[in-house]
Each structure stands twice: as structure tokens, then as C-alpha cells.
Amino acid sequence: MRGCLLVLFLFAMAGAFAQAGQKRLILQATAYTSSVYETVGDPFVTASGMRTRLGVLAVSRDLFPALPFGTKVRLRDLGTVHGRGKGEFNYLFEGRLFVVADLMNRRWRQRVDVWLPDRATALRFGLRLVELEVVEYPRR
């Protein structure tokens, strides 16, 4: 009986460590603004009901079960998908917690969308790779 309990305990600990290891993801990232052409409904209100601001993050619907509304994350700019400009947008990311508050269009998968206040910066952001680190999940 003790052996069974010990094995169960070890599996539980291994599961906890595996979950802790899954707190970092490398994802493609784009940027969006509060343009009526880039949003559905009120362009200044996210799908969760939060007002848009720097620090709002939209996730693709396939990531939503793992990153529900209210999840707090940190981002690090890894550069374009072609390997250029690493860290160019870290000035927007450093010291800032992002909150998952919006959803992307159904056509996107394994992607996040960073809200930015102006279109020129969003276009310059382009398609980049980011390292996403989960800091805190919402309380249920």
C-alpha cells in the first residue's frame, strides 16, 4: 500500500513540475489597434469587456483554454519570423504585465495579438516571435 502511495505521490509531483515547465511558450505575434477595420463591435472594448489599453493581449481561440481571460503574462521580443530585429519592441514589453482580454479571429492559430495605440507602430511590429511567460492565472 505504501509503495502505491509513493508511486502516486511521485506521479503527482512529476505532473506539477511538467505544468510549471509549460509556463513559457514561443508564439507568433502581431499587433492590432482600435480601428473599426480590425475589431468587431466597439473598437475600444475587448471581448472580455475590458477597455483597450497598452497591456491588452488577444489570443487565438485554440490557445484560449490554456490562456483564459484574466491570465497575466510577460512578453519578450524574439524578433521577426525571419530572425531580424530581436528585442526591437522590448521597450513596450519590459516591466509590463499583459492581460489576456481579447480573442482573435477564428482563422488564426497559435498566435497572440498585442494591442497598440497607433497604426504606424502596429504595422512596424509586423509578424514577430515572442516568448510568452505566464505569471498568473485568473482565480476560478
Side-chain angles (χ1 to χ4, degrees), residues 32-36 39-46 52 115:
Y32 73 111
T33 64
S34 289
S35 162
V36 294
T39 58
V40 176
D42 186 339
F44 296 98
V45 177
T46 66
T52 54
W115 185 87

Side-chain angles (χ1 to χ4, degrees), residues 72-76 95-98 131-135:
K72 295 178 182 169
V73 301
R74 282 195 184 94
L75 298 177
R76 191 167 61 99
R96 185 178 312 279
L97 281 182
F98 285 79
E131 179 183 70
L132 180 144
E133 176 189 4
V134 175
V135 175

